[in-house]
Amino acid sequence: MSKMNKRKDWWKKSVVYQIYPKSFNDSNGDGIGDIQGIIEKLPYIKKLGVDVIWLNPIYKSPYVDNGYDISDYKMIHEDLGTMRDFEELLSEAHKLGLKIILDLVVNHTSSEHPWFKKSRSSRKDPYHKYYIWKDPVDGHEPNNWGSSFGGSAWEYVEDVGQYYLHLFAKQQPDLNWENPKVREEVYNIMRFWLDKGIDGFRMDVINLISKRPDYPDGPVIQNKEYGSYYAGAANGPRVHEFLQEMNREVLSHYDVMTVGEAPHTSADEAALYTDERRKELDMVFHFDHMHLDYGKYGKFSDRRFKLADLKTVMTRWQKVMEVHHGWNSLYWSNHDQARPVSRFGNDTDYRVQSAKMLGTLLHFMQGTPYIFEGEELGMTNVAFDNIADYNDIETHNIYHEFKTVHHLDEDYIMKTIHLKSRDNARTPMQWSDKENAGFSAGTPWLKVNPNYHEINAASELSDPDSVFYYYQKLIRLRHNYEIVTTGSYQIVDEKNPDIYAYTRSDEKQKLLVVCSFSESPITYKIPESLRVLPRELLLSNDAASETEDSTTLRLAPYGARVYLCKTGA
Ligand code: NOJ
């Protein structure tokens, strides 16, 4: 391996397609999506036009948290296939010019990982120091931290007389990154996959790996029973040092991309992770726009976002990344979030129109866009009547907490679950109107959304006006117009209550993006300074019509327009 830094920035021009393997396509009829199923659908992904595929965890796991609890980092989960299947996928994808990035889950392992089994066997075992163990304080947990999935973040183990930390489920013990051996293990795992030829990593909750050594109590927020761990664990004292070490030791030797998941990270903090001169990560996933509809109890609420807040948040991230040499990741959804058309658009009367508008708004911003499987079809949230039909651990835990701690009524609880459950994203991909949406010949591990008769890939592929073909255009425009990657962002008409408009500019031209969040037709006056510029319509989601003096746009409900304006010689 040469010592030279091999990194290039192809990812700035790329669009990423996220696959949740369990829910994508089942090739063997066991009801669970698998790697051969992904291989079958590579032509579909290629047709959409993306550059990179991100796979959620595919490793051996007891599936307490659907693969985010890994018991062997170098083995493929048997439900998904074999290492040979994975190698075939990688090589077939590469033949089509598609790159593949994998999920790196190293804040924690599964409690079934051999390291943890040894760690919990005795304080003297060398693996004990692989995890975070603390003595009881006055016979209790070492601090008040609650886990992300409810309950305490500490679990007591009789055999060693200590508590171990788990920021997520108790089957997901946190690794001790202070131990250099742990870091070396992680780097070895990364090299193992990179040497197979993968093209990068999405790093799970990577900003949580360095905990404050004093483990301070956290504030009790959102009516929770326990304290928040964020002040003590997010963006901790050594996180940048660890990531710079990881970059030096591993990443700098490969031409790959990285995106770190970073909950509770401000734009200024994110600039530290992604400033290219600091050599840490290429970009992070932030959560600021995902928090806009949080309520009294946090995520599970029936509040709807406000457009003014969305503008503020997105604009802040666009500006801060630009000024600080950072880079944005752009996303509306992923396997942890509700479907965007249900959450930020209208999934009944204006489903197609609002899905296209949301795609437009996001894809012309600065950053690398991520499309979560089914988003390109305008797939919607699901509303199962019975909690037993849900699979997700977070959903079950919140149901229990809302019942037993807050005594909320069933209807309200189910309403918030319908709006926010992670299973909204995880229902099987809707390929056709055949049985089980064409996802599986067996019984799917999670029920399909009953609206698959109406919303499915087969029908969209035969309709030139579909969301699918609109997304294809969005991607093509990004590839064809350099300004989408490089242009400087400026919000326009910031106070407008219905419209989100912005420009992207370079010395010679400007893109003008105008998106309506109104459910009524709207007349929009283009601001004076932009009106005078000659403009060419690049894209719209309705039959674009302008008044004669071309100063005014008439936008249909959830209308969207993109213009290219010439500003220079
Ligand atoms: C974030 C992942 O996206 C989520 O699915 C998972 O439950 C947690 N991290 C824990 O790994």
Side-chain angles (χ1 to χ4, degrees), residues 50-186:
V50 298
D51 309 276
V52 181
I53 297 172
W54 151 30
L55 300 177
N56 284 105
I58 52 172
Y59 322 99
K60 190 168 176 204
S61 160
Y63 270 176
V64 168
D65 185 20
N66 270 328
Y68 283 94
D69 46 324
I70 298 169
S71 53
D72 188 336
Y73 286 91
K74 297 183 181 169
M75 258 188 87
I76 303 291
H77 196 294
E78 57 184 12
D79 288 349
L80 304 181
T82 61
M83 190 60 85
R84 195 174 286 176
D85 291 327
F86 177 73
E87 284 160 359
E88 186 185 333
L89 169 62
L90 191 60
S91 116
E92 291 305 308
H94 282 169
K95 275 188 213 152
L96 291 173
L98 293 165
K99 296 182 190 291
I100 296 211
I101 67 171
L102 294 182
D103 225 303
L104 184 72
V105 188
V106 288
N107 173 67
H108 45 267
T109 69
S110 161
S111 50
E112 294 299 307
H113 195 289
W115 299 338
F116 188 70
K117 288 186 174 162
K118 290 182 200 141
S119 179
R120 64 174 297 154
S121 67
S122 144
R123 289 190 192 206
K124 298 211 182 76
D125 193 287
Y127 284 91
H128 193 67
K129 293 197 169 64
Y130 269 43
Y131 294 85
I132 299 171
W133 293 94
K134 298 275 173 223
D135 292 332
V137 174
D138 301 329
H140 293 290
E141 290 84 353
N143 68 19
N144 73 347
W145 292 1
S147 118
S148 286
F149 294 151
S152 166
W154 299 97
E155 181 75 6
Y156 187 68
V157 174
E158 202 70 62
D159 293 348
V160 288
Q162 286 182 310
Y163 287 90
Y164 70 84
L165 179 69
H166 59 91
L167 297 182
F168 294 88
K170 65 170 187 261
Q171 298 89 341
Q172 293 168 297
D174 279 52
L175 282 165
N176 174 18
W177 275 70
E178 300 291 326
N179 182 348
K181 288 208 172 96
V182 167
R183 306 205 295 274
E184 200 37 55
E185 299 270 14
V186 170

Side-chain angles (χ1 to χ4, degrees), residues 33-52:
D34 47 45
I35 294 173
Q36 284 299 332
I38 300 173
I39 296 173
E40 273 173 24
K41 297 296 182 185
L42 285 175
Y44 169 88
I45 297 167
K46 184 68 191 169
K47 184 168 182 145
L48 184 58
V50 298
D51 309 276
V52 181

